[in-house]
Amino acid sequence: MIGVFDSGVGGLGILAEIRRLLPAADLIYLADHAVAPYGPRDLAEVRERSETVAGWLIERGCSIVTIACNTASAAALKSLRARFPRTHFVGMEPAVKPATEITAAGRVGVVATAATFQGELFATVVDRFASGVTVFTAACPSWVTLVEAGITSGPEARAEVEACIGPLRDEGIDVLVLACTHYPRLMDVISEVVGEAVAIVDPAPAVARQTARLAASVAAAGAGRGRMEFCSTGDAGTLESALRSLGLHGPVSLLPW
């Protein structure tokens, strides 16, 4: 079984791609709405919570856990691998490397939560891959709130997106990295704001592919009946609404955490 978790519904895009790649795998998704969003929280708090959530998924029989959240990956990926050495973890890494490979202007924008930028992972990625490239960053916490409320288009979404990435666009970026799994749900609005000259990098498909590659080497994870189960620690209604919008189906449980 493969477990996927996020603070809310953002990681469902990764889950949907995993399902496309692994139609027979049994999947369980946990939206940690009880403490969402992770972005504004202290990294130590996010790490502790991620260990609790991952532990629950492992107890349910998950041999692979995909951390469908950049903030949780930045805070906890290293500690999760140390605490649960028999479990395979797939984390999110800001897609700075592919962005630097396609930029012509040498000016890349990255949007994420504040916690993602504070983590060691982001600084390491920039040091490794952004030599000779100027990286501009913007924390966009309101976008998570919009997506959780189901607001992915219209004037309100447009205003929030413009406020966050308008300054990056004005800096002359030609690549924009979406380093939060909630953000792709605003893709149409983001594309309108930055214009056709700016390429947008969404790392979610690559994370799903890595999960599928890992599942191929872990027979128990790839086998199954194609079942999907969805859990929320605080807001089953929001999860159900997001599932309908993505055409995903499965039982939804509310966990009393």
Side-chain angles (χ1 to χ4, degrees), residues 7 36-38 113 140-149 180 182-183 186:
S7 64
Y38 286 164
T113 67
C140 308
S142 64
W143 293 12
V144 174
T145 303
L146 287 174
V147 170
E148 289 292 327
C180 173
H182 282 78
Y183 295 175
L186 294 161

Side-chain angles (χ1 to χ4, degrees), residues 64-68 73 77 81 88-92 206-208 210-211 214:
I64 295 175
V65 174
T66 297
I67 310 168
S73 295
L77 180 57
R81 286 173 170 162
H88 303 273
F89 288 94
V90 179
M92 303 287 299
V207 173
Q210 175 60 21
T211 302
L214 190 56

